[in-house]
Amino acid sequence: MAPDGDGGGGGFVCVTGGSGFIGSWLVRLLLGRGYTVHATVKNLHDEGETKHLQAMDGAGARLRLRPRRLPPRVPYDTGGRRSRGNDSGSITTPVVRCIINPIIVARKELLEPAVKGTLNVLRAARDCGVGRVVLMSSQAAMVPNPNWPEDKVIDEDCWADVELLKKLQIWYSVSKTLAEKAAWDFAATEGLQVAVLNPGMVLGPMLTPSVNVSLQLLLQLLRGERLDHLDKIYVGCVDVRDVADSLMMLYENPAAQGRHLCIESIERLVDFTKKIADLYPEYPVQRTLEDKQGWVARGKDPSKKLIELGSPFTPFDKTIRDTMDAAGDSGGARGGLVCVTGGSGFIGSWLVRLLLDRGYTVHATVKNLQDEGETKHLQALDGAGTRLRLFQMDLLDPASSMRPAIDGARGKELLEPALKGTLSVLRAAKDCGVGRVVLMSSKSAMLPNPAWPADKAIVEDDCWADVELLKKRQLWYNVSKTLAEKAAWDFAEKEGLQLVVLNPGTTLGPFFTPSVNTSLNILLQLLRGQELELDAVYTGWVDVRDVAQSAIVLYENPSAQGRHLCLAAMERLVDFTDKIADMYPEFPVQRTKEDKQGWLMRAEDPSKKLIELGVRFAPFGQTIRETVDCFRSKGLI
């Protein structure tokens, strides 16, 4: 590109966020016009980030990918010569222009890094001699604005009310608004030429291998989920190709200044859901029943500044049909929605995997959306691209974290809760109209129970762990499991919620999580020669796949009621350590020297209720061998 901005081919363009839904289309258009593109991606080693870009025409010679950092650091290699002896990598030959897609957030804690990230990119652009920056913002930085006249269609002077957004905990919109404001302040101070694009909800055919948030909303609507939670922010949609075209328009027209609303038409959520329902009567689309958007003045051709620059907009029907044609029907659109809390863990991961295999759409909560150790193994599952959505988990704050995940679900699988967390999630489930909850408790909520008849091998629904004994022994995990399950039963009875509980024992088996959980660590410690002092709590084992299968069986069988012990066999610690020592004589396994579990009656097939529902349990040898194989493959033993 020539320095005078004539838009000719051969110039360098830097695109941050180049692997995403919009970014991919922008890179494609730039390459198609002869530009050399340097695009940032999150992970250069992730083919989901890079493969679709590298396959584009012209990519081999004119596309270079760079890792994105949070916050970004100078430099972005723009093809210029580096100064010799300068370890900072400063650029002596500058690029002319840059297109920025700022970092966005779903959590309050990341607001400051997101804004700093945008400013760091702008500083890098300034320091590299970039003459013009096109910033991708959003209509989310424009609405809601309670002070905007109700009869006036929103335009470039409209800014979202940040305090209202914070109160509503819409952190995505907060981050977009703060990032754009910070960008304008920086540009004014530093004399940097900036043009901003503010697109609405972006739909259209995708080049990426996975589905982004806006496309996911359309998929959710087609699957019968409600989108009522969007009534605070939705004002219209736009085709992704029009967004990319508009970015190019702003980039190649130095006269383009200020903010540019990019929406095909201003409309309300009730209009959007009605049009989708009319277009696709074969899908269970939930129309918006109540119009709560009196503050949105409908308007055709609201993007006048872009239209004057020559940017046409694709009709709504074509955008939607092209989106559907590109996505295809993966089988998930008609499937049920299930929410799984604690979805990133050992058991949770297997449960998510089996649900996806059965065609369900899954909303899974994780502790930290920014931690690839929590998310990457889930996102790699078959079907995850279109039928898995991850949510940040804060069990003590269901209003902001749990309800979006639960909303629309017919059923719920609840994993690893503490007492308050359990009740918070159950309340959220009830408020969202969930019909059935499967609670993952533990056999730790059943045993030890000194009052249980010593000659009665089968542990039944009315067998509860002795909480005072557990407290005396300081077995706080067992205490929490027992109290949480009791509180859940009390809540369910009082509120009329249909509840069914699974109580698995020590859970082993192959794992695809990046880390080892507590139960797997028990076996790992034993193989490494450590002595196990679990005679107060160990009562038997079960394969993780059988636990996940049992949870689904309980979910899919409305006749299943009460508590369900989930053990392949009821055995003592001495039995377990002897079997492991016999299977692996090459390891320094410490056998249990003294059997202190006279209180525990051994039993084969103790999980009668699950067996009657069709669950079959994996044999001990198979489970242990596959677990140990996993340890070996990960270099743990």
Side-chain angles (χ1 to χ4, degrees):
M1 173 174 52
D4 61 1
D6 63 1
F12 286 104
V13 184
C14 174
V15 177
T16 67
S19 63
F21 179 40
I22 299 173
S24 298
W25 272 102
L26 179 57
V27 170
R28 178 172 168 174
L29 287 182
L30 286 164
L31 290 173
R33 294 196 186 193
Y35 288 106
T36 294
V37 181
H38 290 180
T40 67
V41 299
K42 293 178 184 176
N43 184 354
L44 283 174
H45 304 292
D46 182 357
E47 286 194 348
E49 290 266 315
T50 61
K51 193 173 182 179
H52 63 290
L53 296 175
Q54 292 165 338
M56 292 177 178
D57 290 344
R62 290 185 286 106
L63 174 65
R64 188 171 183 184
L65 302 180
R66 289 289 182 135
R68 187 187 80 185
R69 300 179 177 92
L70 179 62
R73 294 185 293 129
V74 176
Y76 287 107
D77 185 355
T78 60
R81 294 177 294 102
R82 296 183 182 278
S83 301
R84 290 185 179 181
N86 186 347
D87 292 334
S88 68
S90 61
I91 306 301
T92 59
T93 303
V95 292
V96 178
R97 298 169 187 166
C98 180
I99 300 177
I100 301 176
N101 187 12
I103 301 157
I104 57 171
V105 304
R107 291 194 295 148
K108 179 180 179 180
E109 309 92 272
L110 292 178
L111 286 175
E112 184 178 354
V115 174
K116 285 184 176 179
T118 300
L119 292 178
N120 283 341
V121 177
L122 290 173
R123 289 189 188 100
R126 177 203 61 191
D127 294 345
C128 291
V130 169
R132 181 175 174 77
V133 169
V134 178
L135 176 73
M136 173 77 74
S137 184
S138 169
Q139 58 82 19
M142 293 182 160
V143 294
N145 181 343
N147 297 319
W148 192 256
E150 288 190 4
D151 59 349
K152 185 179 180 182
V153 176
I154 64 170
D155 59 29
E156 287 75 10
D157 295 326
C158 188
W159 282 92
D161 186 318
V162 172
E163 294 308 313
L164 176 59
L165 291 171
K166 288 179 179 179
K167 184 178 179 181
L168 296 171
Q169 300 190 37
I170 304 175
W171 302 116
Y172 168 86
S173 302
V174 173
S175 72
K176 281 293 191 182
T177 308
L178 294 181
E180 187 186 338
K181 285 191 172 184
W184 281 117
D185 290 344
F186 179 90
T189 301
E190 301 293 333
L192 186 66
Q193 193 180 80
V194 172
V196 174
L197 191 70
N198 301 81
M201 177 177 166
V202 184
L203 302 173
M206 59 183 181
L207 304 174
T208 53
S210 59
V211 176
N212 79 328
V213 175
S214 59
L215 290 173
Q216 186 66 245
L217 292 171
L218 176 59
L219 283 174
Q220 290 170 8
L221 186 63
L222 291 165
R223 292 170 188 153
E225 301 173 42
R226 305 201 69 86
L227 299 185
D228 295 348
H229 60 286
L230 297 180
D231 60 9
K232 301 291 190 300
I233 55 174
Y234 180 81
V235 295
C237 64
V238 62
D239 193 295
V240 63
R241 294 161 294 192
D242 298 338
V243 176
D245 275 334
S246 296
L247 286 167
M248 292 291 296
M249 288 279 185
L250 297 185
Y251 178 78
E252 294 182 335
N253 284 273
Q257 303 290 330
R259 308 172 85 199
H260 297 76
L261 180 62
C262 184
I263 293 181
E264 189 262 342
S265 66
I266 299 288
E267 64 179 11
R268 301 179 185 180
L269 188 63
V270 67
D271 306 319
F272 177 70
T273 58
K274 180 182 183 301
K275 287 192 290 188
I276 299 298
D278 291 343
L279 273 172
Y280 293 98
E282 69 272 27
Y283 285 92
V285 176
Q286 295 290 313
R287 297 170 187 255
T288 300
L289 301 177
E290 183 181 356
D291 182 6
K292 299 180 180 179
Q293 293 186 289
W295 53 274
V296 177
R298 296 176 175 94
K300 284 288 182 184
D301 301 328
S303 305
K304 296 192 182 298
K305 289 176 70 174
L306 289 173
I307 293 171
E308 289 170 359
L309 288 172
S311 182
F313 285 88
T314 305
F316 178 88
D317 290 9
K318 177 173 173 51
T319 296
I320 300 301
R321 289 199 175 94
D322 287 354
T323 306
M324 294 290 287
D325 290 344
D329 187 359
S330 65
R334 293 180 177 86
L337 171 64
V338 181
C339 175
V340 178
T341 64
S344 62
F346 178 39
I347 297 174
S349 298
W350 271 103
L351 180 55
V352 170
R353 176 172 172 172
L354 291 184
L355 286 165
L356 290 172
D357 287 347
R358 290 193 175 208
Y360 285 103
T361 296
V362 181
H363 284 186
T365 66
V366 299
K367 294 177 183 176
N368 184 357
L369 283 172
Q370 310 303 317
D371 182 357
E372 285 195 349
E374 292 264 317
T375 61
K376 193 173 182 180
H377 61 290
L378 296 176
Q379 292 164 337
L381 296 174
D382 289 345
T386 55
R387 291 184 286 110
L388 174 65
R389 189 177 177 193
L390 302 180
F391 292 80
Q392 185 86 17
M393 178 175 65
D394 181 354
L395 288 176
L396 301 183
D397 187 10
S400 62
S401 65
M402 294 307 308
R403 290 183 184 175
I406 297 172
D407 193 24
R410 295 187 304 173
K412 177 161 179 50
E413 306 274 3
L414 178 59
L415 297 169
E416 298 184 3
L419 176 58
K420 289 182 179 179
T422 301
L423 293 179
S424 294
V425 177
L426 290 175
R427 288 189 189 100
K430 177 181 176 294
D431 293 344
C432 291
V434 170
R436 183 174 179 80
V437 172
V438 178
L439 174 70
M440 186 72 70
S441 183
S442 169
K443 61 83 190 168
S444 299
M446 291 182 153
L447 295 169
N449 181 349
W452 193 254
D455 59 348
K456 194 172 182 180
I458 301 300
V459 174
E460 297 173 350
D461 284 23
D462 55 349
C463 184
W464 285 92
D466 186 319
V467 173
E468 295 308 313
L469 176 62
L470 293 173
K471 289 180 179 178
K472 184 178 179 181
R473 294 177 176 175
Q474 298 189 15
L475 299 171
W476 303 115
Y477 170 85
N478 304 53
V479 171
S480 69
K481 282 292 188 183
T482 307
L483 294 180
E485 187 186 337
K486 284 188 173 184
W489 282 115
D490 290 344
F491 180 90
E493 182 178 2
K494 180 181 176 182
E495 300 293 337
L497 184 67
Q498 192 179 75
L499 178 69
V500 61
V501 174
L502 190 67
N503 302 81
T506 300
T507 305
L508 303 170
F511 56 101
F512 50 92
T513 50
S515 58
V516 174
N517 80 328
T518 302
S519 60
L520 289 171
N521 202 43
I522 290 171
L523 177 57
L524 197 56
Q525 290 172 359
L526 188 62
L527 292 167
R528 289 172 174 169
Q530 297 180 42
E531 189 171 349
L532 300 183
E533 297 180 359
L534 299 174
D535 52 274
V537 293
Y538 181 80
T539 58
W541 63 277
V542 63
D543 192 294
V544 64
R545 294 161 292 192
D546 297 335
V547 176
Q549 181 66 30
S550 297
I552 294 175
V553 166
L554 296 183
Y555 172 70
E556 293 181 336
N557 285 271
S559 61
Q561 303 291 329
R563 309 170 83 200
H564 296 75
L565 180 64
C566 186
L567 288 174
M570 187 84 76
E571 65 178 14
R572 300 180 185 181
L573 186 62
V574 66
D575 305 321
F576 179 69
T577 58
D578 280 351
K579 288 191 289 187
I580 299 299
D582 292 343
M583 282 186 73
Y584 293 99
E586 69 272 27
F587 287 97
V589 176
Q590 296 291 313
R591 297 174 185 263
T592 300
K593 298 180 178 63
E594 182 182 356
D595 181 5
K596 301 177 182 179
Q597 292 184 293
W599 53 272
L600 181 64
M601 285 290 291
R602 297 176 174 93
E604 293 293 330
D605 301 326
S607 304
K608 301 281 187 195
K609 289 175 72 174
L610 289 173
I611 292 170
E612 289 171 0
L613 289 169
V615 176
R616 296 293 178 265
F617 290 90
F620 181 86
Q622 176 188 337
T623 298
I624 299 301
R625 275 191 294 272
E626 292 182 6
T627 309
V628 173
D629 286 347
C630 255
F631 288 157
R632 282 175 167 149
S633 70
K634 295 178 183 292
L636 296 173
I637 54 175

